[in-house]
């Protein structure tokens, strides 16, 4: 909590309400109840001698040092001032209120399932740990406003994720999301039951609308965050001259995202997988940039959009996706990566992280989503216990 201190005339008191700031604009966040009052020290001529004056000066210096230390400490807490109070009140916040905080990390679940599997839980947890001063939001289509999500939820992943102070789980209401975007007309005309790729197409559309309206970073639910992404406007190269849409970030109302939404509608073909996803991002980027091959680990930039090297998110390319579920003689360091995409779409045999398997994926869980990993171990132990009970 940052206290702003007004220096007043000698002998008077000064107090100002604490404020938080985001992007240079004052917001209404209340960061606490502490008030700091400082009496302005003013050296005066003391007729009783220099000894008392020196003592007063030392006291003044000590007090100044003390209050400066307090202010510096509170500045260090500023970035997380909002979330330090969230566990008590976040259940009463709406999606718009959270998204309007800015710089959200957004995940989408466009199936009807209500129990996020371990990889989804790991993705959200890892993001919450890496971006502790930012809201991390999981939108789920299967939820309704009447669905109770609390710490006593019967869904283990809900309890796990809800306990994190900067994680929010909201229903995904597409008609609301698409309001005031080019996608609304398309959504009102499309028939989901006749769309063979509806889960993916609806996700492609929703992520564009949310990032355009509110800004932030979108991530697929099979992306494990390992360090902060330093860019604000970026696309992730899956390979040279080809962009993914599994992770990207832009400020609100960015023209590139608006153009993508318009092209989404203009070139819509739901029968072609990826036409509204990575192929859309790639053709829109090619329309404004002269894409070249990557050399080494450098990133490319065009019109203030960073086109990030495949090493940033795809150091293991999709043909080799199974290597995440193998045991490595020496685990890679991923020193050039911000996050890792585990290619769950390719995982049709549903390979999973198994406790004690020593696979690369298990090591990633241990390092970046330890709470999910602990839950995984407990569930495995419970399953083994039940099997032994049945066999007895």
């Amino acid at each position: 909590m940052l206290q702003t201190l007004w220096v007043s005339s000698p002998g008077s008191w000064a107090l100002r309400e604490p404020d938080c700031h985001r992007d240079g604009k004052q917001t209404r966040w209340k960061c606490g109840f502490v008030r700091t009052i400082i009496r302005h020290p003013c050296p005066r001529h003391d007729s009783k001698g220099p000894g008392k004056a020196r003592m007063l000066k030392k006291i003044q210096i000590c007090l100044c040092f003390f209050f400066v230390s307090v202010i510096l400490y509170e500045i260090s807490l500023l970035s997380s001032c909002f979330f330090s109070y969230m566990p008590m009140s976040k259940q009463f916040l709406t999606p718009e209120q959270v998204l309007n905080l800015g710089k959200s990390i957004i995940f989408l679940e466009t199936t009807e399932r209500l129990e996020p599997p371990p990889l989804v839980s790991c993705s959200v947890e890892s993001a919450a740990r890496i971006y502790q001063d930012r809201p991390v939001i999981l939108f789920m289509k299967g939820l309704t406003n009447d669905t109770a999500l609390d710490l006593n939820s019967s869904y283990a992943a809900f309890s796990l994720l809800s306990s994190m102070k900067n994680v929010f789980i909201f229903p995904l209401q597409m008609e609301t999301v698409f309001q005031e975007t080019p996608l609304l007309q398309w959504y009102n005309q499309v028939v989901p039951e006749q769309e063979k790729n509806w889960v993916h197409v609806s996700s492609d559309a929703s992520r564009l609308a949310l990032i355009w309206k509110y800004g932030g970073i979108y991530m697929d639910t099979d992306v494990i965050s390992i360090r902060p992404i330093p860019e604000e406007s970026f696309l992730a190269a899956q390979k040279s001259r080809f962009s993914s849409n599994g992770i990207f970030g832009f400020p609100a109302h960015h023209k590139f995202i608006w153009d993508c939404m318009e092209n989404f509608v203009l070139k819509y073909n739901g029968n072609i997988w990826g036409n509204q996803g990575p192929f859309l991002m790639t053709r829109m980027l090619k329309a404004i940039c002269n894409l070249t091959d990557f050399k080494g680990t450098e990133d490319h930039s065009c019109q203030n959009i960073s086109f990030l090297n495949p090493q940033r998110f795809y150091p293991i390319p999709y043909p080799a996706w199974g290597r995440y579920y193998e045991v490595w003689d020496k685990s890679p360091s991923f020193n050039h990566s911000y996050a890792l995409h585990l290619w769950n779409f390719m995982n049709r045999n549903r390979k999973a992280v198994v406790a004690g398997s020593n696979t690369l994926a298990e090591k990633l869980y241990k390092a970046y989503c330890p709470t999910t990993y602990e839950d995984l171990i407990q569930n495995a132990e419970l399953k083994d216990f039940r099997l032994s009970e049945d066999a007895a």
Side-chain angles (χ1 to χ4, degrees), residues 256-269:
F256 180 81
I257 299 299
W258 181 269
D259 291 344
C260 284
M261 291 190 292
E262 289 188 328
N263 191 270
F264 182 107
V265 177
L266 181 65
K267 302 285 187 179
Y268 183 73
N269 187 339

Side-chain angles (χ1 to χ4, degrees), residues 230-231 235-242 290-302 305-313 335-338:
E231 308 291 340
L235 293 171
Q238 184 174 316
K239 59 182 180 179
S240 286
R241 309 188 192 202
F242 189 81
N290 180 24
L291 301 183
T292 59
D293 291 338
F294 288 97
K295 297 179 180 178
T297 58
E298 88 284 2
D299 299 318
H300 292 172
S301 180
C302 173
I305 299 175
S306 296
F307 191 38
L308 300 184
N309 193 287
Q311 288 294 315
R312 305 296 179 226
F313 307 104
N335 288 335
H336 300 293
S337 301
Y338 302 134

Side-chain angles (χ1 to χ4, degrees), residues 166-227:
N166 60 329
V167 172
F168 302 81
I169 304 175
F170 291 123
L172 176 60
Q173 299 172 329
M174 293 187 189
E175 186 171 358
T176 300
V177 168
F178 297 143
Q179 292 292 331
E180 301 177 357
T181 76
L183 298 169
L184 182 61
Q185 182 180 1
W186 159 81
Y187 180 72
N188 289 334
Q189 294 175 348
V190 73
V191 181
E193 295 76 15
Q194 298 177 4
E195 297 285 329
K196 70 175 185 178
N197 294 309
W198 179 246
V199 168
H200 302 287
V201 168
S202 60
S203 177
D204 292 336
S206 297
R207 69 189 70 176
L208 289 172
L210 285 166
I211 294 299
W212 183 80
K213 282 186 171 183
Y214 302 104
I217 295 174
Y218 167 81
M219 295 185 185
D220 277 350
T221 52
D222 56 352
V223 171
I224 297 178
S225 298
I226 62 178
R227 57 178 56 89

